[in-house]
Amino acid sequence: MKLLCGITLFLAIVVAYYIYIPLPRTISEPWKLMVLDAAFRGVVWMGDVSHSLGLSHSVHVINSAVIDFESLVPVTNIKIQVEDTIFDGVHVRVYHPPGKEGKLRRAVVFIHGGGWSLGAPKLGSYDSLCRKMAADLNAVVVTVDYRMAPDVHFPVQYEECVQATKHFLRPDVLSQYLVDTERIAVCGDSAGGNLAAAVAQRIGIDDSTSVKFKLQVLIYPVLQALDFNTASYQQNQNVPILYRTLMARFWLEYLGANPDLIHSIITNNHTAQDQNYVSLSLSKLDWTILLSKRMIKQYKPVFPVTGSPSILKEVPALLDARAAPLLAEEEVLRMAPHAYVLTCEHDVLRDDGIMYARRLELAGVSVTNDHYEDGFHGCVSFAFWPSYFSVGIRAVQNYIAWLDDNL
Ligand SMILES: *[C@@H]1O[C@H](CO)[C@@H](O)[C@H](O)[C@H]1NC(C)=O
């Protein structure tokens, strides 16, 4: 009996040690987040082990765990009819709103996140989110099931989102779905926010598409890979669930680059000052002007004098605005639709979103920036049973309410 108690106590301590991580006091429901994070860390670790044993690519292992988890989430709102189809070679799912026929409806093109490599758009939280948007907005929702890394890399994810979107925006297709051509939004979270921003820029300047988006909704979008030491990267590098190293891994995977470059890019060696042609693009982005004093706290800019000049030549997509929409020219931004940018205080990507919101405003685009002081990266995916956070539920309600008012 004594031995059993001893073993139980020992195991409890080991588990607590594994789960416990210090978190900022203002974050939403810290204990729940620790458990979620411990599970996610476990999955990433399993992925890394299988990868190093040569059994399976780490991303495939992580994604199958994500799919298993999402399969547990019950289908909400069964009233919504869904249709799995193909738009110009790209798999999509269309959610039909329950409202009466005959009247033209609004529409949302939704692009899911997951680091361009993870995520199950037809299951669990993304499926619930799309059903909710379709029901609450009485809108046609199209979710793009683009192919992901490591099977494909940039620009495939981007191109597939553009193709599916351009197909949907064709007047004949819109009329088939009874959609009002003046009332269409594009929306995405995280890497999906990256793709949504890039698609919005592309549609804005594309002469071959006469129908344009009215709105773009970017939920904690990832928008640049030149600075992994922004104030928010520094502040939140160890805050779950999107650690800085994980974000850097996702970037390298998306761009099809050597994963070993991670050490160089998280120290900003790729944008060191000894690289003449980089200073040119950096000068277009005056980081300090774009961020408010309140946000930057103890921020110390990291721009090494000497670095690894070869990286930008080796991975030119780091400077490509289709991959990093924050780098777009002002002429492109000017043509982009009215924006809603959701940012979270406890997120490495907070400043990506804030800097983009500021750049859009400077280009004359009207922007609503909804900032969650208790928010963490990914919270919008945790608004449905069995894993929900109060901040996730609030964030979902608020962005859908904004769409309802503005679309
Ligand atoms: C960054 O670049 C410097 C200068 O080339 C080099 O000494 C250092 O090892 C690099 N750091 C990393 C982490 O690659």
Side-chain angles (χ1 to χ4, degrees):
M1 191 62 198
K2 234 184 192 165
L3 183 67
L4 196 64
C5 285
I7 291 174
T8 311
L9 185 67
F10 176 74
L11 287 179
I13 292 172
V14 169
V15 170
Y17 181 77
Y18 178 68
I19 291 179
Y20 179 79
I21 41 162
L23 285 177
R25 267 183 301 120
T26 51
I27 210 161
S28 175
E29 295 160 273
W31 276 104
K32 232 191 241 179
L33 186 56
M34 279 182 217
V35 173
L36 178 72
D37 173 62
F40 190 59
R41 270 187 290 137
V43 166
V44 172
W45 178 81
M46 256 165 35
D48 288 343
V49 171
S50 333
H51 197 110
S52 44
L53 295 177
L55 298 176
S56 176
H57 195 288
S58 58
V59 171
H60 286 141
V61 176
I62 301 170
N63 206 28
S64 51
V66 170
I67 289 170
D68 287 346
F69 178 77
E70 295 288 8
S71 315
L72 299 176
V73 179
V75 175
T76 55
N77 214 331
I78 3 213
K79 290 195 305 277
I80 301 291
Q81 253 188 31
V82 300
E83 172 198 354
D84 290 324
T85 179
I86 292 177
F87 282 179
D88 192 16
V90 180
H91 289 268
V92 299
R93 172 174 275 190
V94 183
Y95 295 81
H96 295 268
K100 50 186 178 305
E101 299 285 316
K103 200 164 156 264
L104 287 185
R105 303 164 306 187
R106 306 185 282 189
V108 178
V109 174
F110 183 77
I111 306 175
H112 76 88
W116 307 280
S117 56
L118 306 173
K122 296 176 188 171
L123 289 175
S125 53
Y126 284 126
D127 181 55
S128 302
L129 196 58
C130 289
R131 286 172 191 269
K132 184 168 169 58
M133 283 191 279
D136 292 4
L137 300 168
N138 193 30
V140 175
V141 176
V142 176
T143 188
V144 187
D145 192 5
Y146 57 90
R147 283 175 299 156
M148 299 186 288
D151 306 335
V152 295
H153 303 282
F154 175 80
V156 175
Q157 287 88 331
Y158 163 80
E159 289 297 353
E160 291 199 350
C161 291
V162 169
Q163 271 163 252
T165 302
K166 285 182 68 166
H167 177 91
F168 181 61
L169 294 183
R170 275 173 29 190
D172 57 317
V173 177
L174 291 173
S175 95
Q176 179 197 330
Y177 285 105
L178 294 169
V179 169
D180 185 339
T181 57
E182 309 278 313
R183 301 176 79 190
I184 307 167
V186 62
C187 171
D189 66 308
S190 191
N194 164 286
L195 294 164
V199 167
Q201 289 181 2
R202 169 68 174 270
I203 298 299
I205 57 168
D206 195 323
D207 293 334
S208 66
T209 308
S210 60
V211 177
K212 302 290 177 189
F213 286 119
K214 182 176 185 194
L215 305 173
Q216 57 179 324
V217 169
L218 310 178
I219 298 168
Y220 35 72
V222 40
L223 297 164
Q224 59 88 29
L226 292 185
D227 188 357
F228 286 92
N229 291 274
T230 58
S232 61
Y233 264 111
Q234 290 182 15
Q235 178 186 308
N236 301 304
Q237 55 181 300
N238 295 317
V239 173
I241 43 181
L242 187 65
Y243 295 94
R244 173 167 64 180
T245 46
L246 185 61
M247 190 60 244
R249 267 175 79 164
F250 282 143
W251 266 114
L252 294 171
E253 191 68 60
Y254 180 37
L255 303 181
N258 180 351
D260 296 337
L261 293 177
I262 190 164
H263 308 291
S264 305
I265 65 171
I266 63 175
T267 52
N268 281 0
N269 254 11
H270 59 316
T271 49
Q273 295 157 25
D274 59 349
Q275 298 163 64
N276 295 335
Y277 80 157
V278 182
S279 55
L280 193 132
S281 66
L282 275 182
S283 69
K284 284 194 298 195
L285 298 167
D286 190 341
W287 309 98
T288 45
I289 284 181
L290 296 173
L291 291 170
S292 78
K293 286 225 166 49
R294 193 183 66 77
M295 294 281 176
I296 60 184
K297 294 175 190 157
Q298 306 105 21
Y299 168 60
K300 290 205 180 61
V302 175
F303 290 110
V305 178
T306 57
S308 318
S310 56
I311 294 178
L312 290 177
K313 288 203 189 82
E314 215 179 293
V315 193
L318 286 162
L319 290 167
D320 191 323
R322 295 172 305 164
L326 183 64
L327 310 184
E329 300 291 340
E330 190 166 317
E331 298 88 83
V332 176
L333 294 179
R334 207 179 299 138
M335 306 300 283
H338 179 176
Y340 174 97
V341 182
L342 188 155
T343 50
C344 292
E345 180 61 22
H346 306 290
D347 180 2
V348 291
L349 300 178
R350 179 197 71 184
D351 296 348
D352 279 31
I354 289 173
M355 294 187 293
Y356 194 58
R358 191 76 194 112
R359 282 209 68 203
L360 285 171
E361 270 173 1
L362 292 171
V365 175
S366 91
V367 181
T368 300
N369 179 200
D370 223 350
H371 184 67
Y372 289 85
E373 285 295 337
D374 59 343
F376 60 91
H377 191 84
C379 61
V380 163
S381 293
F382 303 107
F384 302 95
W385 197 88
S387 61
Y388 45 77
F389 285 74
S390 76
V391 66
I393 295 169
R394 259 182 291 131
V396 166
Q397 276 166 354
N398 290 344
Y399 96 75
I400 293 180
W402 185 86
L403 272 173
D404 198 20
D405 289 344
N406 293 279
L407 187 58

